[in-house]
Amino acid sequence: MIIERLLIFILFLTGFIALIGMKNIIKKIVGLNLLNASIVLLFILEAGRSGESAPILDDNIQNIVDPIPQALMLTAIVIGVCVTALSLAMAVRLYKTTGSLDINIIKERIESEN
Amino acid sequence: MKKLQIFKISLSVLLVGLIILPIILCSQSWPTEARDYLFTNAYSETGASNTVSSIYLGYRLMDTLGETLVLLVAITGTMSILINLHNQTIEKIETTLTLTPEKRPKNALRTHLVEVVASKLGPIILLFGFYVMLYGHISPGGGFQGGVIVASAIVFLALATDVKTPIVNSKVLSRIEALAFTSLAIVAIYVAIFTQGIFHNLLNQEQNVSANIIILLNIIIGLKVGTSIAVMCIAMMGGRHDN
């Protein structure tokens, strides 16, 4: 149990490092996706311990897992897709305007224009 | 300068790790009250044997309405950014997803393979998406999952440029999306006026509860999600299918 949690922790930190440490905007967006994925995995892992069978009610089914985290993560995944699409569109816009995806070069070029 | 940045990044990673590690390692046992309530009552109250569906289309439908609003805002932002971008470029570049036939022998990376496979697989995936959408109340699946599969099918059909079908047209897709959102709003308002509250289970006036409203909302949400994501993908692939 501790191994899975440590892996999720490493995934979270990887996403966070990519988000704040990388210079390339696309890598930052990938980091945002990794953060989202690690949180989704954490919820599914935690809820998966509460039962054994899938939460689809049938005649001879017992001991289902808690379906509430699954429903919440369904929402979180769709919101993650929205965030990714919007940030990618902004990255395309920045690239077309400044000609670069590196945040330092973008900052230089915007400052030199003003 | 460089060392200072590395120091800053490692310090913030350390702080975030210290904050997030107790949350991840916390071994509190999962509360089971909600699970037991849903296990005994979900089928008789909503009529759907898939309890995930009965949560997001039955008990917490207001959340789903808010989520479709978030999706609408995201697609509006994406499309407005990308459409202004296409207007800014003065020389109109004809971007196609596949090469013209006379250029194909020179470019070995783009062959007929993508078009053939995508145009053959697209309709099958579309059918599977609608199956997942329509059977979401009794089996794993539902509106969101089916909608995403439908979106991938539409992207496949858009990649197969030889297929001339109106389903890859951005205008048609946006109209389907607007129709789905309007019908969701109409269902909400109708139910709020004529029954006990917003999204009360309106088709279940009798004693025996059926999953009709869950199926209806699965179709609406599946169309909404599928067309939204497909429109965004087609706009990012170059917006060739605008006309």
Side-chain angles (χ1 to χ4, degrees):
Chain A
M1 217 56 217
I2 197 87
I3 303 283
E4 288 99 327
R5 289 173 183 207
L6 281 179
L7 285 176
I8 287 174
F9 180 65
I10 291 169
L11 191 65
F12 185 92
L13 279 192
T14 314
F16 188 72
I17 291 169
L19 191 62
I20 64 169
M22 290 293 162
K23 301 280 180 254
N24 192 322
I25 292 180
I26 302 291
K27 287 180 185 169
K28 280 179 187 292
I29 297 171
V30 172
L32 208 60
N33 266 320
L34 282 181
L35 281 179
N36 193 3
S38 70
I39 299 298
V40 169
L41 282 176
L42 178 66
F43 268 75
I44 297 300
L45 179 75
E46 283 290 314
R49 294 190 304 150
S50 65
E52 279 162 4
S53 44
I56 292 167
L57 302 177
D58 210 342
D59 290 336
N60 46 8
I61 199 164
Q62 289 295 321
N63 196 13
I64 61 168
V65 301
D66 198 347
I68 297 172
Q70 300 193 8
L72 286 178
M73 287 310 109
L74 198 59
T75 312
I77 290 169
V78 175
I79 302 294
V81 171
C82 292
V83 170
T84 310
L86 202 55
S87 43
L88 279 177
M90 286 177 187
V92 170
R93 181 65 180 262
L94 268 178
Y95 182 75
K96 292 265 180 173
T97 316
T98 60
S100 172
L101 281 175
D102 193 303
I103 50 169
N104 291 334
I105 300 175
I106 288 174
K107 199 180 168 196
E108 272 174 25
R109 288 187 184 165
I110 289 176
E111 276 172 355
S112 66
E113 274 185 19
N114 290 336
Chain B
M1 187 67 194
K2 188 86 177 171
K3 272 182 184 169
L4 186 69
Q5 280 223 328
I6 291 174
F7 176 70
K8 273 184 191 167
I9 290 170
S10 44
L11 187 67
S12 44
V13 167
L14 193 67
L15 281 176
V16 167
L18 282 180
I19 294 169
I20 212 78
L21 192 60
I23 301 174
I24 288 184
L25 290 185
C26 161
S27 62
Q28 187 95 21
S29 65
W30 191 265
T32 55
E33 290 88 7
R35 185 198 70 180
D36 296 337
Y37 177 82
L38 286 169
F39 182 65
T40 47
N41 295 326
Y43 185 74
S44 56
E45 280 180 357
T46 62
S49 53
N50 183 354
T51 28
V52 178
S53 283
S54 69
I55 290 171
Y56 78 82
L57 294 178
Y59 297 105
R60 308 294 308 156
L61 195 43
M62 281 301 284
D63 288 353
T64 309
L65 182 67
E67 186 191 346
T68 50
L69 267 175
V70 171
L71 195 60
L72 194 72
V73 170
I75 182 183
T76 313
T78 311
M79 293 302 282
S80 63
I81 289 173
L82 290 178
I83 283 173
N84 284 338
L85 198 72
H86 289 307
N87 289 344
Q88 274 181 359
T89 51
I90 301 152
E91 75 275 29
K92 192 166 166 58
I93 309 159
E94 273 297 321
T95 47
T96 52
L97 300 168
T98 49
L99 291 176
T100 49
E102 58 268 18
K103 280 187 186 167
R104 268 188 197 125
K106 294 179 201 158
N107 201 331
L109 286 176
R110 297 301 290 266
T111 57
H112 286 292
L113 208 59
V114 171
E115 288 151 63
V116 172
V117 172
S119 61
K120 292 285 184 291
L121 272 182
I124 299 169
I125 297 177
L126 197 66
L127 191 65
F128 177 64
F130 278 104
Y131 166 77
V132 169
M133 198 193 291
L134 289 172
Y135 281 77
H137 59 296
I138 48 170
S139 65
F144 289 110
Q145 297 91 326
V148 174
I149 298 172
V150 166
S152 65
I154 294 173
V155 170
F156 263 32
L157 287 176
L159 277 174
T161 42
D162 288 343
V163 185
K164 292 273 176 273
T165 165
I167 206 170
V168 297
N169 192 326
S170 294
K171 263 180 197 160
V172 176
L173 288 175
S174 330
R175 281 187 190 144
I176 295 174
E177 193 207 351
L179 187 73
F181 188 75
T182 316
S183 43
L184 189 62
I186 286 171
V187 170
I189 292 166
Y190 174 85
V191 177
I193 291 173
F194 290 102
T195 57
Q196 298 173 359
I198 286 185
F199 288 134
H200 183 257
N201 205 342
L202 83 164
L203 300 179
N204 297 338
Q205 305 297 343
E206 305 90 31
Q207 282 298 314
N208 53 343
V209 178
S210 75
N212 289 342
I213 182 108
I214 304 267
I215 300 172
L216 176 72
L217 289 167
N218 259 336
I219 295 169
I220 291 174
I221 287 172
L223 285 178
K224 172 90 179 62
V225 172
T227 48
S228 306
I229 296 177
V231 163
M232 285 196 281
C233 290
I234 288 175
M236 280 182 187
M237 291 194 303
R240 191 187 151 272
H241 297 272
D242 279 345
N243 39 20

